[in-house]
């Protein structure tokens, strides 16, 4: 029997009874939405992520609809499993490229998504580092004139640096000389990382 159907049958048996329920009985266990999706069809999160990125990078889609697709994409990668799927789905490359897009609102959303993906996720932090996100984020924090865009870039850079030493070392090297700290910064020292981000925020 198909595993999904087997789970559905088991759930039905566990949650069906002709007798009146006991007040002490535990509440019915909800059916996993992933099982329902597997049985009845519908796009997976991976499919939705790819569709969102296709819309974001399409020349035929309006900016308004690209931003809606980007918002959907950001919500999807709040799940650490989906964030870790960015690599096998080939989505890190277009996401990092969008940090350099000529449209500021797309740069803002790209930075937001990078920050969401790497937050407390070393696997994603490593991918963002390898894909060259850090120099692009540093450039945004230093050169952007729109404070909304800068805030998202600072958020992404802070999330990338925390507790991941290779990213912190790379970020420090990418800083303009006037903003660099003397000596190394310990990625596990939140106060030290905050100090770097504060100097970037104030650009001094």
């Amino acid at each position: 029997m198909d595993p999904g159907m087997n789970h559905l049958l088991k759930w039905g048996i566990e949650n069906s009874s002709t007798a009146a329920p006991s007040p002490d009985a535990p509440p019915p266990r909800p059916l996993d939405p992933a099982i329902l999706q597997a049985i009845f069809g519908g796009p997976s999160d991976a499919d939705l992520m790819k569709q969102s990125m296709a819309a974001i990078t399409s020349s035929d889609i309006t900016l308004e609809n690209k931003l809606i697709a980007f918002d959907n994409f950001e919500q999807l990668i709040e799940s650490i499993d989906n964030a870790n799927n960015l690599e096998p789905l080939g989505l890190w490359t277009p996401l990092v490229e969008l940090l350099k897009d000529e449209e500021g609102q797309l740069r803002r959303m790209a930075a937001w998504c990078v920050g969401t993906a790497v937050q407390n996720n070393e696997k994603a932090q490593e991918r963002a580092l390898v894909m060259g996100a850090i120099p692009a984020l540093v450039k945004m924090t230093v050169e952007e004139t729109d404070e909304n865009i800068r805030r998202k870039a600072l958020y992404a850079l802070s999330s990338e640096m925390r507790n991941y030493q290779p990213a912190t070392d790379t970020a420090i090297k990418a800083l303009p000389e006037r903003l660099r700290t003397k000596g190394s910064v310990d990625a596990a020292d939140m106060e030290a990382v905050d100090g770097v981000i504060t100097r970037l925020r104030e650009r001094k």
Side-chain angles (χ1 to χ4, degrees), residues 47-59:
D47 291 332
L48 292 172
M49 289 165 65
K50 290 188 291 185
Q51 289 168 13
S52 294
M53 186 56 74
I56 294 162
T57 56
S58 172
S59 59

Side-chain angles (χ1 to χ4, degrees), residues 110-122:
W112 188 6
C113 286
V114 170
T116 297
V118 302
Q119 193 167 45
N120 301 314
N121 183 349
E122 186 172 333

Side-chain angles (χ1 to χ4, degrees), residues 120-142:
N120 301 314
N121 183 349
E122 186 172 333
K123 183 176 180 180
Q125 287 173 301
E126 186 270 338
R127 282 293 89 199
L129 172 64
V130 170
M131 299 305 297
I134 293 175
L137 290 169
V138 170
K139 182 180 174 69
M140 290 172 71
T141 64
V142 173

Side-chain angles (χ1 to χ4, degrees), residues 71-122:
D71 188 58
N72 291 336
F73 187 81
E74 193 277 332
Q75 291 181 54
L76 285 163
I77 61 173
E78 287 176 358
S79 158
I80 193 168
D81 290 335
N82 287 341
N84 288 338
N85 269 339
L86 288 169
E87 179 187 8
L89 294 175
L91 297 178
W92 267 114
T93 296
L95 181 58
V96 171
E97 283 301 309
L98 283 159
L99 293 171
K100 310 164 195 172
D101 196 271
E102 62 181 16
E103 171 52 55
Q105 292 309 305
L106 294 182
R107 296 196 302 274
R108 176 179 64 83
M109 290 300 299
W112 188 6
C113 286
V114 170
T116 297
V118 302
Q119 193 167 45
N120 301 314
N121 183 349
E122 186 172 333

